[in-house]
Amino acid sequence: LEEAAFQLQQIFRIDISIALNILGIESMRAGRCRVAFTCFKLAADRGYSKAQFNVGLCYEHGRGTDRDLEKAGFYYCQAASSCHPMAQYRYARYLLQHSPGSHWDRHHKAVALLEQAAVAGITEAQAYLGVFYMRGLQPQKKRGLKYLLLAANSGDAQSRYHVGVCYEQGLGVQQDLAEALRHYRQSAAAGNRQARDRLQA
């Protein structure tokens, strides 16, 4: 009976958190940012990762609360530890750009989180890793191209442009101008200005 009661408590707790998060989303859509933040925070403090991510967004962008990157990082970290893919991406960006501490530790942890988010299908993480591996201190061009292709195939026009650059310059792949043109055309058709300029050149 104790186990059954515990399970019911957990279900009730999760259901309340889901309801609060949904109420927060609806409030945000209606422009009631403070109400939304309050709902997200209540659900986040109950351990609901989607709400933790939303609280992170509120703190990062100053919506419904004061802008506070440190608090945003804290909530992204909580959500990321529950394997929330977009939180993994956002927390990785926070670690690389704002977090104090050892550069090497932050860098190592951020890359691991970006890899997880990219594997989970987060296009932004794939694009970020693609450029990161192409331009890092120790470039890994084949690996960078792999992630750029993943992001490009998910519809990211900027990554498609970078794939074109890889084929044009032979970065991580055999140089192939016809293939470069194909990628530039696709990127330009999706509205990428750099690709249009490159085609004209």
Side-chain angles (χ1 to χ4, degrees):
L1 282 174
E2 282 181 24
E3 178 64 24
F6 176 75
Q7 293 295 333
L8 280 172
Q9 280 182 324
Q10 293 298 101
I11 291 166
F12 181 70
R13 186 175 158 201
I14 291 166
D15 284 349
I16 289 289
S17 299
I18 291 169
L20 283 166
N21 192 58
I22 291 168
L23 188 58
I25 291 167
E26 293 304 316
S27 297
M28 192 62 79
R29 284 184 184 145
R32 297 191 308 272
C33 297
R34 286 201 178 278
V35 173
F37 174 75
T38 301
C39 292
F40 292 146
K41 184 86 167 49
L42 286 168
D45 292 343
R46 291 169 164 268
Y48 189 51
S49 64
K50 289 182 180 179
Q52 290 166 342
F53 173 72
N54 287 331
V55 170
L57 285 175
C58 288
Y59 276 124
E60 183 179 0
H61 300 290
R63 295 170 74 186
T65 187
D66 292 334
R67 190 167 186 261
D68 188 325
L69 292 178
E70 195 173 320
K71 287 181 181 175
F74 172 78
Y75 280 97
Y76 287 149
C77 178
Q78 286 194 320
S81 68
S82 296
C83 298
H84 187 291
M86 187 53 95
Q88 291 170 330
Y89 166 69
R90 292 276 186 168
Y91 185 51
R93 293 285 305 266
Y94 170 78
L95 287 172
L96 291 170
Q97 296 170 2
H98 305 291
S99 179
S102 159
H103 173 75
W104 173 249
D105 289 343
R106 286 184 293 121
H107 178 88
H108 186 69
K109 187 171 184 177
V111 170
L113 287 166
L114 285 168
E115 294 267 3
Q116 290 171 34
V119 168
I122 302 299
T123 304
E124 293 92 332
Q126 294 164 347
Y128 195 95
L129 275 175
V131 173
F132 174 82
Y133 282 127
M134 283 290 174
R135 298 180 180 168
L137 293 174
Q138 296 176 315
Q140 299 176 46
K141 303 221 182 304
K142 284 188 180 180
R143 199 166 193 180
L145 179 60
K146 175 187 122 178
Y147 283 111
L148 287 173
L149 277 167
L150 283 172
N153 291 335
S154 295
D156 184 52
Q158 184 66 27
S159 292
R160 181 70 66 193
Y161 164 76
H162 286 304
V163 171
V165 172
C166 290
Y167 275 101
E168 183 182 2
Q169 297 179 7
L171 303 173
V173 69
Q174 183 77 32
Q175 189 178 32
D176 186 333
L177 295 181
E179 191 67 6
L181 281 170
R182 186 175 75 81
H183 288 287
Y184 287 146
R185 283 189 190 109
Q186 287 181 12
S187 180
N192 186 278
R193 202 168 170 180
Q194 287 175 293
R196 282 200 298 267
D197 293 345
R198 198 75 203 109
L199 280 170
Q200 288 174 351

